Each structure stands twice: as structure tokens, then as C-alpha cells.
Amino acid sequence: MNDIIGYIPSEDEPLSSDVVIIKGEKSTWLYDVGASENAFSEISEISGEVNAVISHFHPDHILNLKRLNSLGLYLGKNTLKYVGRGQVVENELTINDGASLRLIPFPSSHAKGCLALELNGEIIFLGDALCPQLKGGRCIYNVQHLVSQISILESSPASLVALGHEGDRHIPKNEILSELRGLLSLRDKNSSEIETDFIIR
């Protein structure tokens, strides 16, 4: 995509997330590792030190870790239960490697223990963190998580958002915030959840 960021695109058969590749000065950084043979092959060909930030524990984001034992890993504690190794990130962590990578615990209705990755204060990668929980064909959003998501995005200097399974499409953060605020406006004060047919993006 440019000198710093590249993508291995998502696939449907098998379901495999986007893999973001960030070139640092000392290491190559991945955001997720996908589940497809293509993603595995491309990651395996990267030379030098490689570290991965894992957005969450769903198989389409982590399955290739079974065959990529040499990666340095940064993940949430819920993901650690599925992966069994790596550095748990419970508070914001900034890593400087030519590029500035800020790892941010990010609450989600979709999966517990998500991690966002903000790059150079310009773009924030969220994986599937904005997705709802699906129950009986309906979308369920946790109100407290929505409030926290809005707060984190408002405080981030990044102007662009990248979502999982969207390839190299970067969305203006203000558009995402508008959708999240719209969702939040649907809340019933007597419920901790919002049930709707609406899915962010």
C-alpha cells in the first residue's frame, strides 16, 4: 500500500481475516495472522524479526499461529487462553520501531479482550471490534462498550479507521464515530444492550 503498510487480503474459503503488515526499523509488525494458506505462505516469507499484534481470539484471525511459532506476540488476556503464549497487553502500550505503534485494549460486543493498533497517530486498526454479538439473527451491542469505544476513538489523534475484512479501505474516523453515536442513541435506559438490525459498515 505504501512504504510502511501492506496487506494480505481476507478470504472467504476458509474464512481468514486481513493481515496488516507494518515495516518497522528493526522488525516487521503484523496485525493478525489470518487462517488461510496464502496468509501463512506470505508471512513465512518475511525475513528478519516478526512480531504480531492479535486483535482477538476468533479462528479467522489466529489460526495460522499454530504454524508460526517464531513470532513475537502481543495480545489480550482472553486471546492468551486460546493461543497459550505471548505478552498480554492490559493497559495501553506504545512501541517505537521507526513507526509508533500504540496498542490499545478495546472493549467489544463481538469478542472479549480485543486490541486495537494505532499507527503513527494517523490510522487505527480495529479488526472486528466494532461488530455486534449476533443472537437470533439480531445484532446486540453492549451500551457500556459503545460508550468506551466512542471515548477511545475521540481521544485518538488518528483520522482514519481500518476494520477487519475490509482490505486496504480506510474510513474517516468521523464517519465511524457518527455511526457509533447513532447506535448509542437507540439505547433504552432500562437496558444494558441495544438490539437492532444495524451493523457498523
Side-chain angles (χ1 to χ4, degrees):
M1 178 181 171
N2 59 34
D3 291 341
I4 299 176
I5 306 173
Y7 283 88
I8 303 169
S10 62
E11 297 181 32
D12 293 329
E13 293 293 335
L15 184 63
S16 181
S17 68
D18 292 319
V19 177
V20 182
I21 304 170
I22 300 167
K23 290 291 186 183
E25 285 183 353
K26 297 178 181 177
S27 306
T28 298
W29 293 84
L30 308 175
Y31 187 61
D32 289 331
V33 297
S36 69
E37 187 65 32
N38 181 53
F40 170 72
S41 296
E42 290 199 39
I43 292 169
S44 298
E45 291 174 5
I46 299 172
S47 60
E49 182 179 323
V50 182
N51 295 297
V53 178
I54 305 300
S55 67
H56 66 295
F57 56 81
H58 287 167
D60 54 316
H61 295 258
I62 68 168
L63 200 60
N64 278 327
L65 286 176
K66 292 181 178 180
R67 301 187 288 173
L68 294 165
N69 297 317
S70 63
L71 298 183
L73 294 180
Y74 295 82
L75 36 70
K77 64 180 179 181
N78 295 84
T79 302
L80 180 66
K81 296 174 187 176
Y82 295 85
V83 175
R85 62 189 174 92
Q87 180 175 333
V88 173
V89 180
E90 295 190 83
N91 301 297
E92 285 189 19
L93 173 66
T94 299
I95 299 167
N96 291 301
D97 186 8
S100 174
L101 298 94
R102 186 161 71 116
L103 284 52
I104 307 167
F106 201 88
S108 172
S109 300
H110 182 67
K112 290 183 179 179
C114 289
L115 274 184
L117 171 60
E118 181 191 276
L119 177 63
N120 289 335
E122 297 170 354
I123 181 168
I124 186 165
F125 299 93
L126 297 180
D128 296 346
L130 299 185
C131 293
Q133 177 186 10
L134 297 177
K135 194 183 294 183
R138 299 280 284 170
C139 300
I140 309 295
Y141 295 90
N142 179 285
V143 170
Q144 185 177 359
H145 292 341
L146 280 173
V147 170
S148 295
Q149 289 173 349
I150 291 168
S151 176
I152 291 168
L153 289 174
E154 285 177 337
S155 66
S156 169
S159 61
L160 296 171
V161 172
L163 304 177
H165 305 276
E166 292 276 337
D168 60 359
R169 179 170 174 251
H170 298 158
I171 305 162
K173 183 179 72 173
N174 287 339
E175 290 182 17
I176 296 295
L177 280 169
S178 178
E179 292 186 14
L180 290 172
R181 291 176 186 131
L183 265 177
L184 192 58
S185 72
L186 302 174
R187 68 182 166 185
D188 177 342
K189 292 183 179 178
N190 297 316
S191 176
S192 63
E193 295 181 338
I194 296 167
E195 185 175 334
T196 178
D197 293 322
F198 182 77
I199 296 180
I200 298 284
R201 292 290 146 172

